[in-house]
Each structure stands twice: as structure tokens, then as C-alpha cells.
Amino acid sequence: MPPGRRVHPSPDSGRRAWIKRTAVGVAIAAVVTAGLYTADALDPLPAIDTDGAVVVVAADGTPLRNYPSRDGVWRYPVGVSNVSPLYLQTLLTYEDRAYYWHPGINPLSLLRAAGQWVGAGRIVSGGSTLTMQVARLVDPDLGARPSRALSTKLRQMWRAVQLELHFSKDEILGLYLARAPMGGIVEGAEMGSRMWLGKSIAHVSPAEAALLTALPQAPSRLRPDRHPELAQAARDKVIARMVELGQWTEAQAVDARIENVVSPPLRGRFVAPLAAQRLRMTGKRADPTRPDVVVSTLDMDAQLTVERMLLDRVDALPPHVSMAALVMDNDTLEIKAYAGSADFGDDSRAAHVDMVRAVRSPGSTLKPFLYAMALEDGLIHSESLLLDVPMSFEGYAPGNFQASFSGPISVAEALQRSLNVPAVDLLDRVGPTRFAGRLMAGGLPLRMPAGAQPNLSLILGGGGTTLEELVGAYRGLAREGLAGTPRLSPHDPMRESRILSPGAAWIVRDILEGGGNPDRPFYAAASSGRRIAWKTGTSFGFRDAWAIGVTDKWTLGVWVGRPDGTPNPGFFGANVAAPLLQDIVAALPEGSLQARVRPDTVSVATVCWPGGQRVTIAQPCASPRTAWALNSTVPPAFAGYAEANEAPLRLVGISEGSRLRPVPGLAQVDVSVQAEGGRDTLWWILDGKVVGQTQAGQSYTVSLRQNGRYALTVMDRQGRYDRVSFEIAGVAP
């Protein structure tokens, strides 16, 4: 080669050098990657679980009840998308501005920390990233070591790299949001915000975001409930840092510093405690990515309102008596308020027994379903004649709650007044086994005593059911006969079942709501959403007092009694359960107005009382009534009740409006009366109470020893009757 001549490398040699460097780089990367994954396999991350911590929340996310972890910590995990952007901005600016680009450790921060260590002879700052902080939170071994020891820092850095290998940035940030210490037994941004600020982390102000960013720096020393001044000073330091780094303006900082740090004492949440316990035990989770958060359907405002109403009344109850209430949305079947006991803190009232699910005797609350079934069978219309007199059904002789009888009565009045004898009479005609089967098919099973079969006592509470099942069944009155299974979790499926026909449901609801009279004005005022069709019930021995009601929007129920089943004399549905039911309805929002459309199967018929036949031009009637008829069926009164071709029954011996005085020297008035046109047995009823029984043609004498007005009724087995009102005066005390 001549001297001085420059040699240029060939293109092939340059390509070979580039390939060699690339191969070396790939080999080094492969070795490093293999080493990382080998080390990761030999020293894996600890299992990251909830340690038993669970929070049950209302539909809007408000905590109902906190269940601590095994080491006594409260947590409420949330995803990054559920956190206020203000908080994320503050957190990342103050703690780790390079979070989204570093691989778990920040070399610049480590170099700065190393320089400080060399200069001071000790670790001044650890150069920790958010990922490194998460590593310390999820590795129990790191938590037990001195935080500033070199060995601890090296292990923390390794765990941070492992986290970056296994999780995305948002997932790692989610772990911090769930586990950052916030003081005391509170961990996580959401739980800290709920406990110290009374709101979700999604709705914090700039000052509140700065406070929650500062608390993990020294959670015990900065607890807002114990050291508000220190907490405020730490918050202001974060605010100053945000201004220094150009994230906030000075004006924003001034506004943020105006807010004082004031927090209530730390206390557990016990809203809807029995509902929360039920959800926790069932293990249903609305969000599988947050297994330690159990979401309910409960509405926080409705729940607190119902609980407050029960607490306001509990002191007026006798010892050991409790209450329960349930409110369900008719459209979604979601339970909006659930109170299983009157006062969860009162063990003397068996507060831990959930009376929403307890099987108890329903008393008379099943009667609406029986009357609906009789309508569907074509046995009755709303003004059919029923007899409320002493009757025996193969030895079973029911009486009324008031220990009196009303004589001849219409279907609508018998249902509204919850009379027992007409209901047993109807059940005898429908069949108790068929009735029980129909209810079971509609989602309302009746539990019978061991070895017992459905019998006539069913309609008076002879089978057991629950408040939850009754509420689900009564929903059929407002939704065209479709009962529903109440849903406590949004994870629960929608379950509906046919319990009534649409027409029967409409007629029964109209009777319970307004009396069932087609002639009354049907108003559609703005308050129509608060109109309530309701029914009370009292089980044998005053053990259970019930009130179940239906509005356009809600179905709700109330139970009052002793969880141990001991009788409570004087406590019945109308005087203790119904007033609470009415108050709850008044406190609930009405919801949107819904047009009340009468089904095509329901029509108005003019009938002749008491025979029940349809009035026509050819057959005029002295006592016509208008009735609701189902499927255009207008049956006559039951055979033997009121025969159209028989003469009327007349009470003789005293005139309407008479005023009677005693014979001088006597302290009583003896009234001798007789019935004309009667057949077989006659019942004599004074002011609603049966006072005597005679055969047709026999006279009857009633003796009265007190002044006042009286009503005397005579009735035969056919339901024919006559009544006179009179007055007694002049009886000496």
C-alpha cells in the first residue's frame, strides 16, 4: 500500500460491527431478563390479598359497615379512574413526578439520595418512588425492618422492580390507593377520605387532596382527629410544593389554605349492619376486580331515614320488643332500606337477629291474595255478599279480632276490615292446598309445622313466611300481578313470578287503597304517588304485628314483635305497625307519576244487594250497588246466602228511632223482638256483637242497663237481615 494512502473500511465490515454490537446487546438484555425472572422465581412477591378487610357500601359507594383485616385495618380499594384528578395530580407531583416512566426505581432520585448519604454520613432521604412505597406496603418483611437501613432499601428496590414486572402502572397505583397509611387503622385514599373528610376521594377539594397526600408521610403524628394543627401544617407544605413546581397558582394556594382541618373522631360505620353482614356472608361482589368491596342496592338517605324512625320509636316499646322494616323499588326490585332490628346496639332486644328473614306467622296479611284468587275463580265480585257470623267449619270456629261480628257484609268491606269468618269461608271454597300451592308458585312459600298439611287456619296465619317474602309478593299489586324477589345486591338476578292476574291485582289494590267503590271519584292529583294500598296483620297471641303497603313506586313492610316469639298483648298491626308504615311512605320520594290504567278484564257492574245479580231493565232492584267485576263475571251470592225469590227478613217489636224508658222501679229496659220471614237459625247482633241465637219464629229479649243509642240486627243463614236503631233513656245509675 503506498505511503500516505487512507484506507476506508468496507461496507461489509461496518455491517458486521453493527450486527456484533446488536448481538452483544441482545445477549446482555437476555441475560439480564433471564436473571430477573430467575430471581423473581426464587424470591417471588408475597401474595397480595385483603387480609380479611371488607367494606360493604351503599349503592352510591358510601360505606355501610367496615370489617377490619386480620391485623385490624380498614380499607376501601378504588381504581385510578374513581379518584379525583386533583388528588392524583397532587400525589404524583409531591411524591413521584417520574412515576409513569421509571421502571420502579428512579436513578436520578437514587443518585441524589446517595450524594446526601455520602455528605451526611447517613441516609437523609431514601429516594423512594411510589412503586418502592407500594413494595414496602405489600411485603411484610420490609415493614418489619428499619426503613433507612441499606439492606432494607436494596430489598425495597428489588420488590419495586418485581412489581413493575407483574403489574401495570395503574395497577401499582391502585395498590397505593388501597394501602397508603392514613392514620390509626385507616388505610387507602378512599377510606381516609371517607373517615376524615366524610366524602369520596372522587369529590375532594384542592386542600383536601393536599391533606390526603401529606398524611402517609407520618400517619400517626398527623392524624386529623388528634393533631389537626400538625396535619394542617403538613398539608400547607404540600400546597407550597404544588406552587413551587408550577402546578398551582398562588391564588389557588391561598384559597386552599383557607380551609381548616377538622375531622370527627374515628369510629366504625354501622349503617344497615344486618344487611351488611348478610352481604358479606353471601360473598357476592358486584366488581370482581375489588373483592374486598361489597356493593349493595341500599339508598343511603332512605336507609338512614328508616333507621332513625325505628330508633325514635324503640324507647316507647316494652322490653325485648324489636322492629324490622324493608323498602323495595317496584321497577328494579332493589331493596332501598333494610332494617332487620330496631336498635343494633341493644342486645336486650335480640338486635343481632335479622327479622327481615325470620320465619313468622303472617296473620291476616295473606287475605288480599285469597280474595284475588276468588275473583279469578269467578266466585265473587267486589260487592258480593259475605256473612260475618259465628260459623263452624268441621269443628273450626274462627272469630274476629274485635270479638264481634258484622253480619252481612260486602267483599270489599270484609277485606278492608280484615274480617276473619268471611276469609275462612272463602278459603274453604277455594281450597287451602290449592291456595298454598298458588302462593308458592308466585314466590311466597308457606312453612307448615312438621307433619301438618295446609288447612283453613292458613288465612289467619297458620303458616310461616318472612317480611322479605311478603314484600316481594305484595309488589304484584302494583305491577299487574307479578311478584318479585327483592334484590339486596346489584349482582342478584331479576326474578319475577306470576302470583295474581292483572285484573285481580288491580281490583284488590283498589279495595285496599280506596275501598273498592267504582262510584267514587278517581283522582289523579300530584300526590297520587303517595296513595298506598296497605294491609295489616296480627298473629295468634299478639306475637307478630305486620303492615305491608304498596305505592306506585315502592313496596314496603313493617314487623313489630319479640324475636323470641313471646306474646305482646295489645300490640297488633293497626296500632303499632301501620303508623310506622305510613310515616315511612310519607318520607320516601314519590317517584315519577304513573298513569293508573284499568285492565281490559275489569269492568263496572250494577248489582242488586244482597243477591248479587246484575241489575237489568227487566229486573229492577230496590238496593242497587256498583261493583268491580273481573272478566265480566257477576256471580250471585253463594247458594243458601240470599235467595232472590225469598221474602225479606223483617225485625218487629221495635220501630226505627224509638226511645225507650224503664218501667218504674226497674233498673233496666227489656226489649222483646221477633223476626218475620226468617228461616232456620237466627242471630241477634247488638252493636256488632252476637248476643243471642234463636230459631225462626221464636222471640228474643235483650235487656239493657245503660242509657245510650243501640243498633240491633237480626240475620239468618241466607244472609238476609234487618236492623233498627233506638235509644235507651231514664235508667238510673
Side-chain angles (χ1 to χ4, degrees), residues 28-97:
I28 294 173
V31 170
V32 171
T33 302
L36 284 174
Y37 279 101
T38 301
D40 180 61
L42 294 174
D43 183 21
L45 278 168
I48 301 174
D49 59 23
T50 62
D51 299 326
V54 174
V55 57
V56 183
V57 302
D60 65 353
T62 305
L64 298 171
R65 189 172 180 182
N66 307 320
Y67 293 91
S69 65
R70 286 184 288 275
D71 55 354
V73 171
W74 291 341
R75 297 193 188 98
Y76 187 163
V78 291
V80 174
S81 60
N82 304 117
V83 176
S84 166
L86 269 174
Y87 174 70
L88 292 178
Q89 179 195 35
T90 307
L91 174 67
L92 295 178
T93 300
Y94 190 76
E95 290 285 356
D96 194 348
R97 283 175 288 163

Side-chain angles (χ1 to χ4, degrees), residues 152-207:
T152 301
K153 283 296 175 186
L154 291 174
R155 183 173 180 82
Q156 189 176 5
M157 292 163 61
W158 163 236
R159 289 302 191 204
V161 171
Q162 284 182 291
L163 285 169
E164 297 282 347
L165 289 174
H166 289 278
F167 299 99
S168 69
K169 285 291 187 179
D170 281 354
E171 288 172 336
I172 296 170
L173 187 53
L175 289 172
Y176 180 87
L177 296 175
R179 293 174 176 264
M182 292 288 173
I185 60 174
V186 180
E187 285 190 1
E190 179 71 11
M191 187 62 79
S193 184
R194 294 282 186 180
M195 292 296 102
W196 302 132
L197 306 176
K199 64 173 67 173
S200 170
I201 188 68
H203 306 296
V204 293
S205 67

Side-chain angles (χ1 to χ4, degrees), residues 326-328 330 471 474-475 478 548-551 553-557:
L326 194 70
V327 177
M328 183 185 75
N330 288 331
V471 167
Y474 266 74
R475 183 255 193 180
I548 316 292
V550 173
T551 71
K553 175 69 174 174
W554 313 105
T555 301
L556 59 162

Side-chain angles (χ1 to χ4, degrees), residues 87 90-91 94-95 130 133 137 176-177 179-199 201 204 206-239 260-264 266:
Y87 174 70
T90 307
L91 174 67
Y94 190 76
E95 290 285 356
L130 272 178
Q133 294 182 45
L137 294 173
Y176 180 87
L177 296 175
R179 293 174 176 264
M182 292 288 173
I185 60 174
V186 180
E187 285 190 1
E190 179 71 11
M191 187 62 79
S193 184
R194 294 282 186 180
M195 292 296 102
W196 302 132
L197 306 176
K199 64 173 67 173
I201 188 68
V204 293
E208 293 165 339
L211 173 65
L212 294 173
T213 298
L215 290 182
Q217 305 299 313
S220 296
R221 187 171 58 86
L222 301 179
R223 274 186 60 163
D225 60 334
R226 295 181 178 177
H227 311 292
E229 299 86 359
L230 294 177
Q232 186 160 326
R235 180 206 67 182
D236 291 347
K237 181 180 176 183
V238 174
I239 294 173
N260 292 322
V261 174
V262 179
S263 294
L266 190 62

Side-chain angles (χ1 to χ4, degrees), residues 325-337:
L326 194 70
V327 177
M328 183 185 75
D329 184 288
N330 288 331
D331 292 327
T332 64
L333 301 180
E334 292 180 346
I335 297 174
K336 295 303 180 182

Side-chain angles (χ1 to χ4, degrees), residues 102 108-109 157 163 221 223 361 416 428 540 567 570 584 618 626 632 664 678:
H102 65 61
L108 297 179
S109 297
M157 292 163 61
L163 285 169
R221 187 171 58 86
R223 274 186 60 163
S361 166
Q416 268 212 321
D428 188 42
F540 179 76
I584 293 175
T626 54
S632 300

Side-chain angles (χ1 to χ4, degrees), residues 413-429:
E413 190 175 0
L415 176 55
Q416 268 212 321
R417 294 174 56 187
S418 194
L419 299 176
N420 290 342
V421 176
V424 173
D425 186 15
L426 273 184
L427 183 59
D428 188 42
R429 299 171 189 274

